[in-house]
Amino acid sequence: MSKREYIFGLHSVQALLKSAPQRVLEIFILQGRQDQRLQKILSAAQSNGIHCAPVSRAKLDELSQEENHQGVIAVCTPGETHDEAYLFSLLERLNEPPFLLVLDGVTDPHNLGACMRTAEAAGVHAVIAPKDKSAGLTPVARKVACGAAEVLPFIPVTNLARTLKKLQDAGVWLFGAAGEAEVSVYDSQLTGPIGILMGAEGDGLRRLTQDTCDHLMNIPMAGEVSSLNVSVATGVCLFEAVRQRRQA
């Protein structure tokens, strides 16, 4: 039997039905649930000929490993996997300057999902991360991403430093977020072809990654707290870039 994935949460399942309904084998819904948000999923499933089966909360809890499934789980075939070759073919197809997010060692799937959600909202073209010692697109990450993981390419790469060098060779400028940087994100020129690099929870960007960046930038902190959660910091940096790019 081919490998199956379980995608749960209202937004994630809706996004999957919209972007890749052919992947969905069956949908499990909580017995007795009949609210309007679920009706949208049932309608989309019916129009695509997908069977929906009512099951107990215990069954949903088991399949989601006790995560918040919101009463719906889609059983589906694995999605398309992206690699470095896909990344560079994507860059060639773009009709606007590349806008990329690089996550250097983010290990918490909740943070990855939140970063994916923010990146999709900001218009990022792809999210890049090293394969090792990083969170992957687990069901939890997909749930937190609220559908962004179904439409925004997530690209795990074997050698992040090599990929970054190739991006630079392709004309992409790399801006790394680092607390010790002397230049503020608000004083950095985030227009044109760019990649914004965010580091791991607590440790920040690895030294090799920092050394590869064209520029380092900080987020000015006015209070007593010394740092932000990586997903919050990602939002600050991405939307400052959005502001600048709209004015360019």
Side-chain angles (χ1 to χ4, degrees):
M1 182 182 294
S2 60
K3 184 179 179 183
R4 294 184 174 187
E5 288 183 352
Y6 296 99
I7 292 180
F8 51 81
L10 291 164
H11 289 292
S12 297
V13 174
Q14 271 187 275
L16 181 65
L17 286 169
K18 183 177 181 180
S19 63
Q22 71 280 0
R23 289 181 51 203
V24 183
L25 303 173
E26 186 175 21
I27 295 177
F28 294 137
I29 59 172
L30 180 63
Q31 286 174 334
R33 178 166 182 176
Q34 295 180 330
D35 57 272
Q36 187 175 2
R37 296 175 75 189
L38 188 61
Q39 287 303 317
K40 291 181 180 179
I41 289 176
L42 294 176
S43 177
Q46 183 178 21
S47 64
N48 284 285
I50 299 166
H51 179 249
C52 293
V55 297
S56 67
R57 181 175 295 277
K59 178 66 172 178
L60 294 176
D61 289 345
E62 176 190 349
L63 292 176
S64 67
Q65 298 182 328
E66 304 296 328
E67 292 288 339
N68 181 16
H69 47 69
Q70 297 180 307
V72 58
I73 296 179
V75 184
C76 54
T77 58
E80 180 184 4
T81 57
H82 300 307
D83 56 14
E84 189 182 83
Y86 175 89
L87 170 63
F88 288 96
S89 68
L90 171 66
L91 296 185
E92 290 177 0
R93 296 195 305 271
L94 291 178
N95 56 9
E96 59 186 354
F99 185 20
L100 306 172
L101 173 64
V102 181
L103 300 176
D104 183 26
V106 172
T107 57
D108 185 334
H110 292 88
N111 280 336
L112 172 60
C115 289
M116 291 286 292
R117 182 178 183 179
T118 301
E120 199 278 332
V124 165
H125 297 116
V127 176
I128 303 161
K131 281 184 179 178
D132 296 331
K133 298 179 181 178
S134 293
L137 276 185
T138 65
V140 171
R142 290 180 182 276
K143 161 68 171 56
V144 176
C146 288
E150 317 316 322
V151 293
L152 175 62
F154 176 75
I155 303 174
V157 297
T158 304
N159 187 322
L160 182 61
R162 181 184 65 194
T163 300
L164 295 178
K165 289 288 189 184
K166 289 180 68 174
L167 285 171
Q168 289 171 317
D169 291 342
V172 177
W173 292 84
L174 303 179
F175 291 81
E180 64 271 26
E182 297 180 358
V183 179
S184 159
V185 60
Y186 306 117
D187 295 322
S188 301
Q189 188 173 342
L190 302 176
T191 56
I194 66 166
I196 292 181
L197 285 72
M198 308 299 298
E201 303 93 342
D203 296 332
L205 292 173
R206 290 176 295 173
R207 175 54 57 185
L208 178 59
T209 305
Q210 280 198 31
D211 292 344
T212 305
C213 290
D214 296 296
H215 305 281
L216 295 177
M217 58 189 185
N218 68 55
I219 298 174
M221 306 288 288
E224 296 297 321
V225 176
S226 61
S227 64
L228 298 173
N229 173 277
V230 63
S231 63
V232 175
T234 296
V236 172
C237 294
L238 290 182
F239 277 94
E240 172 58 17
V242 170
R243 185 191 68 81
Q244 293 185 23
R245 295 164 84 83
R246 285 183 175 176
Q247 293 179 349

